[in-house]
Amino acid sequence: MAWEGKLNRIDANRWEIPMDESAGMRTNAVIYASEEMIGQVCSDNAPQQAANVACIPGIVGSSMAMPDIHWGYGFPIGGVAAVDSNSGSISPGGIGFDINCGVRLIKTDLTMDDIGDKKDALIDELFKNVPSGLGSKGLTHVGMKDLEQILLNGSTWAVENGYGWERDLEVTEEGGHMLEADPSLVSEKAYKRGLPQLGSIGSGNHFLELDVVENVFDEATAKAYGLKQGTVAITVHCGSRGCGHQIATDYLQEMERYIKKNSVKLPDRQLACAPMDSRLGEDYYKAMCCGANYAWANRQMITHWTRESFEKVLGDSAESMGMDVVYDVAHNIAKKERHDIDRHHEDVLVHRKGATRSFAPGRSEITMRYRDVGQPVIIPGNMSVGTYVLAGRKGSMEQTFGSTCHGAGRKLSRKAAVNSLTIDGVRKEMSDRGIYMRNGSDEGILEEAPEAYKDVDEVIRVVCDAGLTQKVAKLVPVGVIKG
């Protein structure tokens, strides 16, 4: 079903759904898209979800959607919504089932000449050490007590137990550790689902890529991030696996009962929510923090196995090869932040679902290493075109609660991709581009085929022209591991 409601053009990169479009809207909705993109944006009726989000109790500012917007659970993927941190409501649909799905970028000082003819062997070793695919299990065996500490301390636990370097934490959002986590609020089923999966990518759109820095657009910022044209980098995209999925499932069920019992009027029950000042809202937030910590520990452990894979194949130390983490960003999360609203400082809870924090230079939340140049923002395109590295800019603080896009965004559903594409066709396309691919499942290749995604160049153009971010570098893949 296509969107047929009101859509007013604000400027070259923004469109508005006015608050009189649908009953119950408490504010307007703003969609970031170019004129070339807006037809596709409206084709799956995702704008209706952006309008629905405007009905959330306690919403502050506009309901927003980034140019990678597409249909999701309750909230559109690419959605951003802030609510008053005391009187507003928190909604699991505004965070997603894969809590703290995010992206980590690891640089190296190597070039492809340094890797030589070992590229395929390197990808094979990574494929062995970083399991992928539906239900994949990690190489790390931890017990329930360990998992409790992981849910509590995230990447800190991983580093303290030998999975990485202390300085990795400095360049991880939140230091890889949300302090309000309470593992007692996570169900036994979530524990059991997450226990065997630490250190694995999983399925769906998750991946590990071997990339080369093809272009540098901002030399000074790229230098601050440690990126140099022609060098090799590793991009990791995954989240909280079955643990986060179960946390979301458990609390959605409770919130559906809550809105029914308390007669909370919402246009879609998938927007089920609870006030932040209620016991249920507080419990979910603390459990969500646990899911976020699991995801950061997961990506930290994958970093460790990645470094070990390079060491084994190339015969040098990770330290000597300059394998530092550039940054790790979350794009399915809710964060308590302070923002300027109508010239006043206000404490809000920002839901980012398929949206990335993009704080401008000077914000105290940015590690000192990058505070003068802005927060790194890592935006994958599709498995054939690679990843953009951006920097947060002032426009995001003024317009989107410090948020930007998270990827290219789907233009074909997974079902449509499976029905219209062939395995051989996708493999040939990757091979023709010189990209060596390993995969956890054939179906995953079809679902995540390049043709299933929007033009990431156009998505990036919109968020940069709108002043939310600035281009720093472009990475292109030479090897891909897909779930």
Side-chain angles (χ1 to χ4, degrees):
M1 183 195 307
W3 167 257
E4 296 179 350
K6 295 177 186 175
L7 196 61
N8 303 323
R9 187 166 189 170
I10 300 173
D11 56 32
N13 299 297
R14 294 184 297 167
W15 307 75
E16 181 199 39
I17 301 172
M19 62 182 294
D20 63 355
E21 166 59 26
S22 297
M25 289 179 70
R26 301 166 187 262
T27 185
N28 64 343
V30 176
I31 298 171
Y32 284 76
S34 63
E35 187 171 6
E36 292 77 15
M37 298 177 71
I38 197 65
Q40 197 284 321
V41 166
C42 294
S43 66
D44 71 352
N45 205 28
Q48 182 62 59
Q49 291 191 312
N52 291 346
V53 170
C55 302
I56 292 283
I59 190 168
V60 175
S62 303
S63 164
M64 288 167 284
M66 296 298 110
D68 49 339
I69 178 178
H70 54 284
W71 189 264
Y73 184 94
F75 279 55
I77 296 165
V80 177
V83 300
D84 185 277
S85 62
N86 295 311
S87 61
S89 295
I90 185 169
S91 173
I95 293 145
F97 284 92
D98 192 2
I99 295 168
N100 188 8
C101 184
V103 188
R104 175 172 290 213
L105 178 62
I106 306 163
K107 78 165 193 69
T108 78
D109 294 335
L110 305 171
T111 67
M112 287 305 295
D113 287 341
D114 296 320
I115 291 175
D117 62 358
K118 296 181 179 180
K119 181 189 79 172
D120 290 2
L122 188 54
I123 294 295
D124 290 340
E125 186 67 18
L126 286 164
F127 185 70
K128 182 176 75 174
N129 284 338
V130 185
S132 60
L134 186 64
S136 53
K137 298 179 180 180
L139 302 181
T140 308
H141 299 290
V142 296
M144 284 289 196
K145 285 292 184 183
D146 291 318
L147 184 53
E148 182 179 13
Q149 289 302 307
I150 288 164
L151 298 178
L152 187 63
N153 295 311
S155 289
T156 303
W157 178 93
V159 170
E160 288 176 350
N161 284 270
Y163 299 102
W165 306 334
E166 186 73 28
R167 63 181 184 265
D168 295 342
L169 302 178
E170 299 171 24
V171 286
T172 303
E173 196 171 311
E174 299 293 330
H177 173 200
M178 289 190 80
L179 300 176
E180 293 180 79
D182 184 347
S184 71
L185 299 170
V186 175
S187 69
E188 183 180 357
K189 189 172 183 180
Y191 269 79
K192 288 181 176 178
R193 289 186 67 184
L195 199 59
Q197 295 181 333
L198 276 164
S200 63
I201 293 174
S203 59
N205 63 349
H206 298 154
F207 64 81
L208 186 151
E209 277 184 7
L210 187 67
D211 297 312
V212 175
V213 181
E214 181 183 55
N215 295 110
V216 170
F217 307 104
D218 180 340
E219 290 282 355
T221 305
K223 184 177 181 181
Y225 292 172
L227 297 173
K228 184 178 179 182
Q229 190 166 339
T231 55
V232 171
I234 304 95
T235 310
V236 180
H237 175 217
C238 61
S240 51
R241 303 298 323 274
C243 180
H245 193 283
Q246 192 61 47
I247 290 169
T249 300
D250 292 339
Y251 280 92
L252 269 168
Q253 291 172 352
E254 288 196 44
M255 289 190 185
E256 285 179 5
R257 289 191 288 268
Y258 174 88
I259 62 171
K260 185 176 181 180
K261 179 181 178 181
N262 291 278
S263 301
V264 179
K265 291 185 178 180
L266 294 168
D268 183 352
R269 69 182 184 88
Q270 291 183 359
L271 294 173
C273 56
M276 280 295 293
D277 60 0
S278 69
R279 178 65 181 270
L280 177 56
E282 186 177 312
D283 285 356
Y284 169 65
Y285 178 76
K286 291 177 178 179
M288 182 216 69
C289 290
C290 290
N293 288 346
Y294 180 104
W296 275 313
N298 190 38
R299 293 196 288 273
Q300 183 62 47
M301 294 163 95
I302 289 171
T303 301
H304 170 75
W305 299 127
T306 296
R307 287 169 175 155
E308 286 209 338
S309 298
F310 270 70
E311 289 176 336
K312 180 176 179 180
V313 174
L314 300 179
D316 201 354
S317 71
E319 193 83 58
S320 296
M321 290 183 281
M323 297 186 70
D324 282 291
V325 175
V326 175
Y327 205 62
D328 181 303
V329 294
H331 55 227
N332 276 8
I333 204 160
K335 291 281 197 66
K336 293 179 180 178
E337 298 169 357
R338 174 159 285 197
H339 287 277
D340 290 334
I341 302 168
D342 296 329
R343 299 183 181 180
H344 297 287
H345 297 306
E346 290 193 30
D347 294 322
V348 294
L349 180 81
V350 183
H351 296 73
R352 296 187 179 99
K353 180 189 182 176
T356 311
R357 196 180 76 176
S358 57
F359 281 0
R363 282 287 297 216
S364 62
E365 295 92 337
I366 305 174
T367 177
M368 284 298 296
R369 196 182 304 184
Y370 303 143
R371 196 167 296 173
D372 290 342
V373 295
Q375 180 199 313
V377 180
I378 308 162
I379 308 296
N382 65 57
M383 62 182 176
S384 71
V385 300
T387 296
Y388 275 94
V389 180
L390 313 176
R393 285 294 173 261
K394 186 179 178 181
S396 72
M397 313 311 302
E398 297 171 340
Q399 302 173 42
T400 60
F401 298 99
S403 308
T404 190
C405 62
H406 87 306
R410 298 193 72 91
K411 66 178 180 182
L412 292 180
S413 69
R414 287 181 167 84
K415 183 178 180 181
V418 169
N419 290 340
S420 62
L421 303 171
T422 67
I423 295 287
D424 289 344
V426 177
R427 287 192 182 280
K428 184 177 186 305
E429 178 179 356
M430 297 293 282
S431 178
D432 288 347
R433 289 176 176 265
I435 302 168
Y436 179 56
M437 181 171 62
R438 295 295 305 270
N439 58 289
S441 71
D442 285 348
E443 187 174 82
I445 291 178
L446 289 176
E447 290 178 347
E448 300 304 315
E451 292 84 356
Y453 284 87
K454 298 176 187 176
D455 180 358
V456 70
D457 293 337
E458 185 67 7
V459 170
I460 298 301
R461 189 191 67 74
V462 169
V463 295
C464 290
D465 284 358
L468 309 184
T469 50
Q470 178 175 305
K471 287 197 294 185
V472 176
K474 171 76 183 299
L475 284 59
V476 294
V478 294
V480 175
I481 296 170
K482 292 295 294 184

